Amino acid sequence: MTKRTTILSAGIAAGAVAAGLVGGALWRRRPTGADATWAPPPEDLGPIEAFDGTKLAVRAAGPADAPLLLFSHGFSLDMTTWREQWSDLGDEFLCVALDHRAHGRSEVPVTGDVTLRSMGRDLATVLDAVAPEKRAVLIGHSMGAMAILAMAEQRPDLVGERVAGLALLGASASDLLRGAMGGVTHLLRPRLGSVTAAARRVDRLRKAILAGPGDVSAIVARVTQFAPEASDDVVNHVLHLAERTSSLVWADGLSELIGMDFRHALSRITVPALVAVGDQDRVTPPAVAVELAAALPEGRLFIVEGAGHIAMLERPEQLNPELRSLARGAMGLGKGRGRRGRK
């Protein structure tokens, strides 16, 4: 593959980011000694068995008797991407995070089921297993936010009764092609083919570019996923996670994200809902967040300045106070004793 061909392929794959990290998987990660700083939350609550027997990794930080926050990560990532949240908010809340099926430390389903609706059922299972009597605020990023919408669609009884509020970061309820693929959609979706075939083409491109020049893949990753000020540590970690994600997730999981539509479920979400988006998010642009917030009965928009698609790691000092305020308000807490964000 020539460098020119690699660059062209990188451009196509960069446009195929679907609520997660095509660009991320293209980064050739430089060796670092910082892995220990990306450890998951300290308390192991798992494995928790899903409806189909898949074992889910679940961990927690914070006082066991505190109000509950449940974190749901994005496509091709894992629970460690919530590091800046559980380490800050864990002074006031019990912060519980899971690795979604076929991600991180959770099992790959025997059936290969990586649908959003199954992930939504997994969230309900974790909520029931961890705190059957507690109300909670659910916080999701990208694919993880869409899994929350899938849970609300399938288990509307939980919303309000058990789920006191939601935070949806870098999210969309439908038409992901518009925000994530933009003008290159026609290059990925065959005229007579399917979104699954398109997603498999993306996975093949991902593997080809990984074998190409590292400088090209690094540029693609930064341009598509992050604001310019994102630290090397954050970029390296996020893209390392995406790089090691299986082809099952890239093919079936990506096609699921492309085809999903949960707009019909939004009117059922009658609890406070924070919709946050980076002002430089190229995956789910601010216009998508504006539309989502307007469609939610109690939606509120928050623009994270100087952030791309990974706002919770790029600008936690802006996002965390909003999450704390949402949780306190949704669960009827006072100002509390929580400390200010670390950064």
Side-chain angles (χ1 to χ4, degrees), residues 16-57:
V17 184
L21 280 282
V22 170
L26 309 184
W27 179 277
R28 189 181 302 282
R29 182 174 182 260
R30 292 173 296 178
T32 72
D35 287 351
T37 69
W38 291 100
E43 185 179 355
D44 190 356
L45 303 182
I48 291 175
E49 190 169 305
F51 68 94
D52 60 356
T54 302
K55 290 183 171 58
L56 305 171

Side-chain angles (χ1 to χ4, degrees), residues 260-307:
M260 65 87 193
D261 188 345
F262 294 117
R263 287 175 293 182
H264 58 280
L266 297 180
S267 63
R268 306 175 190 172
I269 301 174
T270 56
V271 296
L274 175 70
V275 178
V277 65
D279 64 351
Q280 300 177 56
D281 190 335
R282 297 174 182 85
V283 179
T284 50
V288 175
V290 169
E291 183 178 312
L292 178 58
L296 290 161
E298 293 194 43
R300 179 172 70 87
L301 179 68
F302 178 68
I303 304 294
V304 186
E305 296 181 4

Side-chain angles (χ1 to χ4, degrees), residues 225-242:
Q225 299 302 309
F226 301 94
E229 297 82 8
S231 72
D232 286 345
D233 182 45
V234 166
V235 173
N236 284 340
H237 179 67
V238 168
L239 305 184
H240 168 64
L241 295 178

Side-chain angles (χ1 to χ4, degrees), residues 317-338:
E317 75 282 0
Q318 293 183 43
L319 183 61
N320 288 359
E322 296 295 324
L323 296 177
R324 192 185 291 275
S325 176
L326 168 72
R328 286 175 176 168
M331 291 192 274
L333 306 177
K335 290 186 176 180
R337 57 180 178 81

Side-chain angles (χ1 to χ4, degrees), residues 79 114 125 135 156 185 197 213 222 226 267 305 314 335 342:
M79 68 174 75
V114 289
T125 296
R135 299 185 79 209
T185 301
R222 278 226 176 238
F226 301 94
S267 63
E305 296 181 4
E314 294 179 77
K335 290 186 176 180
R342 294 186 303 151

Side-chain angles (χ1 to χ4, degrees), residues 25 50 66 80 97 112 147 154 199 202 257 268 284 289 318:
T80 61
Q154 298 172 97
V202 171
L257 288 172
R268 306 175 190 172
T284 50
Q318 293 183 43

